[in-house]
Amino acid sequence: MKSSSDFIGIRMGMWLFLYSEIILFGGLFVLYAAYFHAYPEDFVVGGKQLDRVIGAVNTLILLLSSFTVAASITAVRLKSKKTALGLIAFSFFCGIIFLINKYFEWSAKIHHDIYPNSETLVNGPPGQNIFFGLYYVITGLHGLHVIIGMTLLAISFALVAANKVHANRFAMLENSGLYWHLVDLIWIFVFPLFYLVL
Amino acid sequence: MSTNNQHMMSYGRLASILIILIILTGVTVGVSYFDMGVYNVPIALGIASFKVSLVLLFFMHLKYESKAITISFISTICFLAIMISFTFFDIAFR
């Protein structure tokens, strides 16, 4: 009885934290919407400069890793430890590939003199300056969340390997999974807003 | 009274959700190549909201969660909606 109620409490706590994350990114999206309303043309020009192929690939990577994290919980509950470890490790590597893509994307932009306070942006149209400012803040904050999510996945991997997380006690893995899904959720909105605006 | 009475997603169920999500990503990218004027943003956000709902309901198993989590989640979304709509009452009619 006690472990059962604890279990819901643990998840409840994680969800409360996720609500604060939703409001955090929600606030940034409101900022995006308000400036999009003010400078629609500049946002379209800015969005066209982002590579939608890299954006789409990163979307697929996150969706796939979300699936493997969810599947790893099923694996732990079915007592197939090896499958669970493989799935968690795969999700972790998806995170690495995501960050590598992000690195190439950002360095290409910085190479083209597009970064906060760069000559091109400061002397260019104000809307584009704001678009790329928001781009760096939102994708940067999201990237930070990817790193935190990967850290949680790594901890869960170690706990599963050490048999601390098992079929009757998998809250840590489940909460890490919830966090990883949140990272995916935010990206699902970031992708159309930045890469697909026409 | 063990923790095992919690709902469990099967691999097959999760995989079918993944396939729908991948198809929707293809749709949203494909649609973005057509200029539909004022409908561009609503369509892109509509597809994104549908994808997010699938992730929430099945990957994050919100569909099978207790009432406390469901209600508190919906309240958060309502708060977000208030935040967005009140901001737009301001900037749209300024």
Side-chain angles (χ1 to χ4, degrees):
Chain A
M1 185 67 203
K2 187 168 170 288
S3 65
S4 168
S5 56
D6 272 348
F7 206 73
I8 294 169
I10 290 168
R11 229 168 32 242
M12 186 78 214
M14 190 64 196
W15 274 103
L16 285 175
F17 169 65
L18 295 186
Y19 300 155
S20 72
E21 293 275 36
I22 290 170
I23 297 299
L24 168 68
F25 278 93
L28 289 169
F29 287 143
V30 170
L31 202 61
Y32 177 97
Y35 280 117
F36 185 48
H37 184 80
Y39 305 100
E41 291 87 11
D42 285 339
F43 270 47
V44 170
V45 174
K48 285 223 160 84
Q49 291 176 51
L50 296 177
D51 190 343
R52 64 178 75 184
V53 176
I54 292 189
V57 168
N58 269 351
T59 308
L60 294 177
I61 289 170
L62 282 190
L63 288 175
L64 186 61
S65 66
S66 250
F67 162 74
T68 51
V69 165
S72 77
I73 296 168
T74 307
V76 161
R77 296 186 64 183
L78 293 173
K79 299 192 171 68
S80 40
K81 185 177 157 187
K82 268 192 182 156
T83 318
L85 287 176
L87 288 166
I88 299 170
F90 180 84
S91 317
F92 185 85
F93 283 111
C94 282
I96 290 178
I97 295 168
F98 180 92
L99 289 176
I100 291 172
N101 279 342
K102 196 97 268 167
Y103 166 78
F104 281 118
E105 207 186 356
W106 274 29
S107 29
K109 279 279 150 299
I110 291 167
H111 187 73
H112 286 106
D113 199 41
I114 294 175
Y115 53 88
N117 212 23
S118 73
E119 293 274 307
T120 318
L121 287 184
V122 170
N123 301 323
Q128 277 191 49
N129 194 2
I130 289 168
F131 178 82
F132 283 106
L134 284 168
Y135 165 77
Y136 277 106
V137 169
I138 295 180
T139 60
L141 193 60
H142 179 265
L144 185 66
H145 280 73
V146 172
I147 294 170
I148 297 168
M150 284 166 64
T151 313
L152 289 172
L153 287 179
I155 294 169
S156 302
F157 182 90
L159 290 174
V160 172
N163 286 325
K164 293 256 171 66
V165 166
H166 49 75
N168 291 319
R169 195 189 167 90
F170 51 91
M172 175 64 199
L173 177 61
E174 195 163 46
N175 282 351
S176 311
L178 285 176
Y179 192 83
W180 192 254
H181 295 312
L182 178 91
V183 169
D184 189 16
L185 288 189
I186 294 161
W187 186 259
I188 289 175
F189 279 113
V190 170
F191 174 56
L193 286 180
F194 282 97
Y195 294 79
L196 303 180
V197 280
L198 263 171
Chain B
M1 276 299 148
S2 79
T3 52
N4 280 331
N5 51 20
Q6 192 195 334
H7 184 272
M8 188 172 80
M9 297 291 295
S10 69
Y11 292 128
R13 196 82 189 280
L14 291 171
S16 51
I17 300 297
L18 175 68
I19 290 165
I20 299 172
L21 286 170
I22 289 172
I23 292 170
L24 286 172
T25 306
V27 170
T28 194
V29 173
V31 161
S32 74
Y33 284 99
F34 301 100
D35 194 346
M36 284 164 296
V38 287
Y39 296 109
N40 283 334
V41 176
I43 289 175
L45 287 184
I47 298 173
S49 307
F50 187 58
K51 284 166 76 181
V52 161
S53 313
L54 287 178
V55 172
L56 282 164
L57 287 173
F58 299 103
F59 283 177
M60 299 171 90
H61 42 81
L62 206 55
K63 187 167 186 248
Y64 312 99
E65 254 343 320
S66 61
K67 269 216 176 83
I69 292 180
T70 318
I71 293 171
S72 58
F73 177 79
I74 293 169
S75 318
T76 308
I77 299 305
C78 289
F79 178 78
L80 198 60
I82 292 169
M83 187 162 81
I84 293 169
S85 51
F86 276 41
T87 310
F88 267 84
F89 285 153
D90 178 21
I91 56 174
F93 301 107
R94 210 178 274 187

